[in-house]
Amino acid sequence: MTGLFLFVLISSFMDHSKAAVKPWVTLDPDWKKIFRGSSVTLTCNSKYTGWEIQDYKWYKDNEPMYVNQRTLTIDSAKMRDNGNYQCETTDSERSDHVRLDVSDGLLILQAPVAVYEGDTLTMQCLGRNKYFEKDSSFYKYEKRLSSTGSVLRLQNVNSKMSGQYKCTRERATILSYKKEDAWTSLSVSDLFSVPVIKLVQSPVKEGGDMTLSCDTALAPPRQDTGLRFAFYRDERTVQDFSVSTIYSVLSTQLGHSGYYTCDVRTPSGGVMKRSNMLYIHIHELFKSPELQISPSQMVLEGEDVSLQCVTTSNTGARLLYTFYRDSQAVQGATADSRYLIPQAGQEHSGDYMCSVQSTDERVMKTSTDGNLLVQKLFNSPELQISPSQMVLEGEDIRLQCVTTSNTGARLLYTFYRDSQAIQGATADSSYIITQAGEENTGDYKCSVQSMGGNIQRNSTDLHILVQTGTDQPQIELRPEMVLLGGEVVLLCESRNGSLPIHYRFYHDGTLIGNRTVHEKKAAELTLTNSSLTMAGPYYCDSGNEVSSQTQLSNIISLHVMDFDLSLSEECPMPQLMPGDDEGETSTLHLRAISPTPPEEIPLPEEHSQTTPPPEMNRGQDILQAIHSFEQTQVKILRQQMQQNCQINIQVRRLTSVLSQMNNLILRLTTATEAQNQATNRNQALQTHAINDLTQAISAIGARLLLKLPIQSGFTSGTSTPAASSTLSTPPRRG
């Protein structure tokens, strides 16, 4: 239904527009005065753009001429053809009349039928015959005009050039020359009407849209002229010349109020006209806001502050309010014109302002700045420590939390060590540590708060270091028993004591190394390529910068094992078999070297007056037990060596016999089997020996002149006769 109504409305508008278009008459040639007998064609011009075929009607002096065509031709003008000519079409009104004058005189002044502002005007002084001179003179109201020949051309004519014009020209007669003259009237028509500036809608509210139009009408014959339009407010250009007849402002502000005009001109600027003046008043939507702060612009910490954005609306429009501190929004656009700051703190100090805007966000106004100053209730505290931040163990320490109050308010104090409260919120601004120990070392701070607890400030952290001497260190060997040439690591550590801690390592009372550690860990000293002289007691001492007295550790002993072959023991040889070398004997020597427990462990001179710790006496007992244990193991090794000696003699004997056998391959096979059996029996003995000496016993076998390895055992713990009885029958060597 709406579409149908719109179509009817547009169709009606189009019909009305077609009816309003007036045709116009033109002449060819374009002279409104001609000589009798001349030819002229009149044309009915129209801007009709429809699809219907148009019918034309012509009128002369308001009388129909019964000519139904667009052109009217007069081939040989007669005096009766003088008159006013008009035309009309099927869908138009009658055109303006055009005057055609037919002259029977000797001289005429020809001018165009229609002359418009900005045109170039051409007039011709035309004689009927050839007896006229070539040059003519032109006049406007008896004022001579500059011309050339019989033609007058005037550029960019305007309405002031309308009037009576004449020309004079001499004609040759039988006896002399006679001056002839001719007159014509000229009317310069408006190219377009004086523009009218209009406001499309009224009134205009602040934030609303405003549209101005600059209306003018071109003369029908000049409808194709492209005009340019410009708009001004209070004589200042707001829109420069363009083809647009519209000036629009979106979201108008109060500053858009003023006197508006428009100019219309041709593209060349030859014709320009100004419109009437139109005053436009923009109706204010609401007043600029005012920011009100209560109770005042200077308050104390903890007080509540209220900010009110006050404005008045002339239209009752719904408004939105925004509050800012230091140009940053603190409360977004809401319908609440108040902003509350409960228990204001120093961080709320700053420059505040508010803005008010319409719900469509087209209009926004801001208040002037208002400064809010929140004064401190008390200053940030300072933690003072006496006698100093570095004290010795056992000294008293006093911590004082110092601040100043601007109001004399009662304050509460809290003390912290490593962020843990050690004294709750009390009115006492001091905290005392009596007989400080290492556990009191840490980062301390204090906080001050108001009675309500809503305002609190902390001091900066201060580090307190309680320096303590070292306690008795513990020494450790890794391992405690090592083979000759092995590596040993000594570890010495005091569990307590201020860093750095200095450690010294001793062997049999001789300083062998020192270390300094800067963190809570053991000091390490590595002994490489151990020798028999490195066996014996070890201990360490520790100390730091707090005390000049060092602490002595426990004592621990290092055992270095070595096995050697010499010629100190003799193994009797049985009767030689055929092929053995006479006088050949096998002599095996064994020596087990171990530290002999000393009756007293030597101490360095600085420790000579120090009572050895109980661990030192226990160390001597341990060495005695180790020595007894080693003697037992040596006996076992001797028995094993005797057995191996017998095995070697028998193998040598067997080898001599087998070398005489013819079948070498069979003998070698038999010998290999015998060797494997001997190896298996010896491995049964190894399961009862200590794992740490397996490598050592294997090394002994490698030193034998014979290539059969010697198998021996070293039993951890106390040895028994049963351990020796497990030796099997000596194997044979293949």
Side-chain angles (χ1 to χ4, degrees), residues 139-358:
Y139 301 86
K140 179 185 179 186
Y141 297 120
E142 304 297 335
K143 182 180 179 181
R144 188 168 181 173
L145 303 174
S146 176
S147 62
T148 301
S150 62
V151 177
L152 173 66
R153 285 187 175 85
L154 300 176
Q155 303 287 335
N156 195 23
V157 299
N158 53 50
S159 59
K160 294 180 180 180
M161 294 182 179
S162 299
Q164 294 294 321
Y165 288 80
K166 79 170 182 176
C167 71
T168 62
R169 193 172 180 183
E170 290 185 344
R171 178 175 61 86
T173 64
I174 297 175
L175 298 178
S176 63
Y177 286 93
K178 184 179 179 181
K179 184 179 290 186
E180 302 286 347
D181 59 10
W183 289 82
T184 189
S185 63
L186 179 66
S187 177
V188 179
S189 302
D190 289 337
L191 178 63
F192 53 87
S193 61
V194 175
V196 177
I197 189 167
K198 295 179 181 179
L199 180 62
V200 175
Q201 79 283 354
S202 181
V204 181
K205 294 182 180 180
E206 188 179 19
D209 297 338
M210 178 182 72
T211 302
L212 297 174
S213 67
C214 189
D215 299 337
T216 187
L218 277 165
R222 302 300 175 88
Q223 291 293 318
D224 294 334
T225 304
L227 299 179
R228 302 293 186 265
F229 302 83
F231 292 83
Y232 307 88
R233 181 180 67 243
D234 299 331
E235 301 298 329
R236 294 185 178 181
T237 303
V238 293
Q239 181 171 296
D240 209 349
F241 282 103
S242 69
V243 297
S244 176
T245 62
I246 298 298
Y247 169 62
S248 297
V249 178
L250 301 178
S251 185
T252 56
Q253 305 298 320
L254 296 180
H256 290 114
S257 297
Y259 291 93
Y260 286 81
T261 57
C262 68
D263 282 348
V264 182
R265 67 171 174 83
T266 56
S268 64
V271 182
M272 184 166 66
K273 298 178 183 180
R274 173 157 289 195
S275 73
N276 58 310
M277 187 174 289
L278 175 65
Y279 179 76
I280 297 177
H281 174 67
I282 307 299
H283 295 269
E284 190 173 24
L285 195 63
F286 53 86
K287 299 289 185 183
S288 294
E290 176 189 358
L291 181 64
Q292 298 178 352
I293 303 176
S294 62
S296 68
Q297 292 183 243
M298 185 178 294
V299 296
L300 291 175
E301 279 182 307
E303 286 189 85
D304 295 340
V305 180
S306 174
L307 286 80
Q308 184 82 28
C309 196
V310 180
T311 186
T312 56
S313 173
N314 299 323
T315 61
R318 185 168 177 263
L319 303 176
L320 300 177
Y321 302 84
T322 305
F323 291 84
Y324 303 85
R325 179 178 67 245
D326 297 331
S327 301
Q328 299 294 321
V330 292
Q331 179 173 293
T334 67
D336 191 356
S337 63
R338 288 197 313 158
Y339 172 59
L340 298 178
I341 305 176
Q343 297 180 350
Q346 266 204 303
E347 67 277 8
H348 295 113
S349 295
D351 293 324
Y352 285 80
M353 71 175 184
C354 68
S355 68
V356 183
Q357 65 183 28
S358 57

Side-chain angles (χ1 to χ4, degrees), residues 579-600:
D580 285 348
D581 295 333
E582 290 188 5
E584 182 181 14
T585 61
S586 176
T587 306
L588 180 66
H589 299 271
L590 172 66
R591 184 180 64 198
I593 302 173
S594 178
T596 302
E599 296 181 0
E600 182 178 357

